[in-house]
């Protein structure tokens, strides 16, 4: 039976006999081929569906590690800033571990499904009149003086947990793909994947992919090489204007001879709908920046035909039902007997 990441990849993780074997059975997520889209793009495409994690995003990987180490070190409370998924995962694993969870979120800019999770798992939630970057500054300051453990991806244990996704990709394919395409917000995940691929390659000579990261155009700090003061994108999970792991993202890009580019909200929505309607895979908007970016790079001719590409789909589409309905082409067709008939436009 799958016993979670700390058990499965123990030899690669900073654990010892005192580290609690915390798990909600995170990890071991599907690596699904996407045959229809691959045919259109002329690639051998896959998606790493991280929406299948216990709280519906890749954050569970990092959070189980950060929470287990916090418990080991005697912590009684954790704190994080979040655009939603970090807080959902922190709240779930804190509940599992029996400690307090304090989250600071940008008021009104968090997808409903994520807020529902933080509420239900019992987090103490503070919504601020500001954005994620303001919230992160706030919680980093609090964690300097108060007896709480910061569990944002500046916490190295988060990166340790999240690198296991790269291990799973190589375990599933037998070697590293040519390209790993991934959305970029705070840039912890691109950092983690690259660390994982390098560690596996050192041990098993499994190869190294080109890392291709994609920011939303309205919050493309790394692409524009400047902090975006008021980031704006429909993909609220990556509505981050000052990535905390900016330098490490550049290192992953340069060491892997990859790239970091941007995609517009329109390109994200197109990929979002394509995945659902052509492959039966529902991932939240930010996740689809990985596919939107690949479509863009195929169009500009920079992806060799037949490239083996893994797209990281970082969160489940159910997290953000409002965006699905607001962007859907399916509208009420007519009213019959007091109910609406919905049909494709
Ligand atoms: C679905 C989804 N896709 C991509 C990202 C970007 O990952 P990073 O580049 O490692 O930040 C996030 C990040 C979310 C938060 O930062 C948070 O939840 O506070 C996400 O939820």
């Amino acid at each position: 039976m799958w016993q979670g990441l700390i058990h499965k990849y123990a030899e690669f993780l900073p654990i010892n006999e005192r580290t609690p074997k915390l798990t909600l059975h995170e990890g071991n997520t599907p690596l699904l081929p996407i045959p229809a889209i691959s045919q259109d793009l002329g690639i051998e495409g896959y998606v790493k569906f991280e929406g299948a994690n216990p709280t519906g995003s890749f954050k569970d990987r990092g959070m189980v590690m950060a929470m287990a180490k916090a418990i080991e070190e005697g912590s009684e409370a954790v704190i994080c800033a979040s655009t939603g998924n970090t807080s959902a995962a922190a709240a779930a694993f804190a509940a599992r571990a029996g400690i307090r969870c304090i989250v600071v979120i940008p008021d009104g800019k968090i997808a409903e499904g994520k807020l529902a999770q933080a509420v239900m798992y019992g987090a103490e939630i503070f919504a601020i009149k500001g954005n994620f970057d303001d919230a992160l500054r706030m919680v980093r300051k609090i964690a300097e003086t108060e007896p709480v453990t910061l569990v944002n991806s500046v916490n190295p244990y988060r990166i340790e947990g999240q690198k296991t996704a790269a291990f799973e990709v190589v375990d599933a394919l037998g070697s590293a793909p040519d390209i790993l395409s991934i959305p970029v917000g705070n840039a912890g995940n691109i950092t983690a994947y690259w660390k994982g691929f390098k560690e596996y390659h050192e041990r098993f000579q499994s190869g190294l992919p080109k890392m291709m990261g994609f920011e939303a155009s309205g919050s493309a700090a790394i692409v524009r090489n400047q902090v975006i003061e008021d980031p704006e994108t429909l993909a609220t999970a990556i509505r981050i204007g000052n990535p905390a792991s900016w330098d490490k993202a550049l290192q992953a890009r340069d060491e892997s001879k990859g790239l970091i580019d941007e995609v517009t909200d329109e390109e994200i929505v197109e990929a979002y709908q394509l995945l659902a309607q052509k492959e039966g895979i529902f991932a939240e908007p930010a996740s689809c920046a990985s596919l939107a970016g690949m479509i863009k790079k195929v169009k500009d001719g920079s992806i060799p035909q037949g490239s083996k590409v893994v797209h990281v789909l970082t969160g489940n589409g159910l997290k953000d039902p409002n965006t699905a309905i607001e962007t859907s082409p399916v509208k009420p067709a007519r009213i019959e007997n007091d109910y609406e008939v919905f049909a494709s436009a």
Side-chain angles (χ1 to χ4, degrees):
M1 182 175 85
W2 178 256
Q3 294 176 302
L5 294 174
I6 293 178
H7 175 80
K8 164 82 176 165
Y9 291 112
E11 61 175 304
F12 289 91
L13 295 174
I15 57 175
N16 56 56
E17 63 289 346
R18 288 176 295 107
T19 311
K21 294 240 178 324
L22 186 65
T23 184
L24 283 168
H25 281 211
E26 62 291 329
N28 197 29
T29 57
L31 184 75
L32 287 164
I34 45 172
I37 292 173
S38 295
Q39 176 140 20
D40 292 347
L41 297 180
I43 61 172
E44 184 187 332
Y46 299 85
V47 292
K48 182 64 173 163
F49 188 53
E50 290 292 280
N53 275 296
T55 75
S57 88
F58 72 96
K59 301 287 182 180
D60 292 343
R61 294 177 184 275
M63 209 48 80
V64 70
M65 195 69 246
M67 201 65 66
K69 296 301 284 187
I71 301 289
E72 178 191 321
E73 289 155 10
S75 183
E76 292 175 1
V78 295
I79 191 168
C80 67
S82 182
T83 60
N85 283 323
T86 294
S87 51
F93 283 94
R96 190 74 177 173
I99 64 171
R100 281 176 70 196
C101 177
I102 301 148
V103 306
V104 180
I105 55 175
D107 190 22
K109 286 286 180 187
I110 176 169
E112 256 185 8
K114 304 173 186 178
L115 186 57
Q117 289 178 293
V119 167
M120 282 305 293
Y121 292 131
E124 295 157 54
I125 302 170
F126 297 85
I128 64 164
K129 291 265 175 283
N131 59 35
F132 169 85
D133 305 288
D134 300 322
L136 184 58
R137 265 192 298 277
M138 193 180 290
V139 298
R140 291 182 86 161
K141 202 157 181 53
I142 293 168
E144 280 168 11
T145 56
E146 299 306 313
V148 291
T149 300
L150 180 66
V151 289
N152 278 97
S153 54
V154 290
N155 178 327
Y157 294 128
R158 279 279 311 275
I159 304 302
E160 288 306 301
Q162 286 170 212
K163 75 184 181 185
T164 59
F167 299 161
E168 289 180 14
V169 165
V170 174
D171 288 345
L173 292 178
S175 63
D178 299 315
I179 296 167
L180 192 283
S181 184
I182 187 167
V184 173
N186 220 13
N189 213 23
I190 188 170
T191 301
Y193 266 87
W194 181 234
K195 189 169 196 284
F197 283 122
K198 285 197 291 186
E199 288 182 7
Y200 243 37
H201 181 61
E202 199 177 312
R203 173 70 67 81
F204 305 116
Q205 291 73 51
S206 43
L208 293 168
K210 286 184 186 302
M211 299 297 288
M212 296 194 177
F214 295 96
E215 295 180 301
S217 294
S219 56
I222 299 176
V223 175
R224 311 285 169 83
N225 194 25
Q226 68 180 62
V227 172
I228 309 291
E229 291 305 334
D230 295 308
E232 208 41 80
T233 172
L234 149 150
T236 52
I238 55 175
R239 185 174 168 269
I240 296 174
N242 186 7
S245 299
W246 190 320
D247 292 346
K248 295 192 178 77
L250 292 178
Q251 186 186 345
R253 177 198 66 184
D254 297 343
E255 286 180 2
S256 72
K257 299 183 181 53
L259 58 85
I260 294 178
D261 199 348
E262 62 176 90
V263 283
T264 64
D265 282 3
E266 293 72 27
E267 289 167 334
I268 287 173
V269 169
E270 185 192 334
Y272 176 58
Q273 292 173 347
L274 209 57
L275 272 168
Q277 291 158 21
K278 289 194 84 171
E279 303 288 0
I281 297 166
F282 185 22
E284 71 170 283
S287 303
C288 303
S290 56
L291 177 62
M294 197 45 51
I295 291 169
K296 176 177 179 179
K297 301 319 285 178
V298 165
K299 278 180 186 161
D300 76 14
S302 56
I303 306 295
Q305 283 294 295
S307 295
K308 189 181 287 188
V309 184
V310 171
H311 307 80
V312 182
L313 298 183
T314 43
N316 195 299
L318 287 170
K319 292 267 191 167
D320 188 358
N322 291 339
T323 298
I325 292 160
E326 282 155 21
T327 58
S328 162
V330 178
K331 303 292 177 211
R334 60 188 184 283
I335 306 289
E336 273 182 2
N337 310 322
D338 298 336
Y339 62 87
E340 284 182 330
V341 177
F342 284 71
S344 327

